[in-house]
Amino acid sequence: MMIDLVDDFETRIRILSKSLREQVDKKEVVKKVKSYHANAESIDLDGRTNIGTFVYDEAFEDFMVLGRKGPSTWIGKYIAELFPTKRIHLTWVSIEWKRGSIIYTYDGGEFQEDERKFED
């Protein structure tokens, strides 16, 4: 898949624990994310996700999705909820080369976001 003028953002989500990445059923995670998307209020979602493009990229060990107008950070947050003891790394790039990175985790039961902006 490649970003284009319609789906102008590519979002990648990685479970930072290599052992969990190797153990987790990627198809089940994809199924859960798609189900969450189907049942969520559109106001709860961001990035105008093209959920049909959501896949696990074996070569890079990332979940990947295309979308419009912004990164699909809701997927990173949802996967962090699925694995609350692990860190989830979300990165994105736009067709205009805007990019960014967020690490999601739970610390003491509280949701944490560590956003890192890249210079354009």
Side-chain angles (χ1 to χ4, degrees):
M1 286 186 293
M2 294 180 60
I3 55 178
D4 57 30
L5 294 176
V6 174
D7 291 324
D8 59 350
F9 272 80
E10 176 185 285
T11 305
R12 289 186 171 265
I13 305 98
R14 175 176 287 196
I15 299 168
L16 291 180
S17 167
K18 185 158 180 75
S19 62
L20 181 58
R21 276 199 317 270
E22 291 171 351
Q23 293 173 3
V24 72
D25 181 344
K26 286 85 169 171
K27 290 180 183 177
E28 186 63 27
V29 173
V30 169
K31 183 178 170 183
K32 286 181 179 183
V33 168
K34 287 183 176 183
S35 176
Y36 181 86
H37 179 269
N39 295 313
E41 296 288 329
S42 62
I43 198 165
D44 296 332
L45 307 176
D46 61 0
R48 299 184 187 176
T49 305
N50 180 348
I51 199 66
T53 65
F54 185 63
V55 296
Y56 185 76
D57 184 340
E58 291 284 344
F60 291 99
E61 297 184 331
D62 293 334
F63 293 96
M64 186 183 96
V65 69
L66 300 178
R68 292 178 281 152
K69 307 294 183 199
S72 298
T73 60
W74 68 269
I75 296 176
K77 292 173 186 175
Y78 179 70
I79 292 176
E81 289 177 21
L82 294 176
F83 306 104
T85 62
K86 302 300 180 187
R87 294 182 315 137
I88 306 302
H89 188 203
L90 182 134
T91 58
W92 67 86
V93 65
S94 78
I95 197 166
E96 298 163 346
W97 295 105
K98 293 181 182 174
R99 51 195 180 114
S101 171
I102 304 174
I103 301 220
Y104 297 111
T105 190
Y106 282 85
D107 185 14
E110 273 192 47
F111 185 72
Q112 304 289 317
E113 292 182 34
D114 180 13
E115 185 169 356
R116 297 176 177 137
K117 298 262 184 181
F118 294 101
E119 303 261 338
D120 291 330

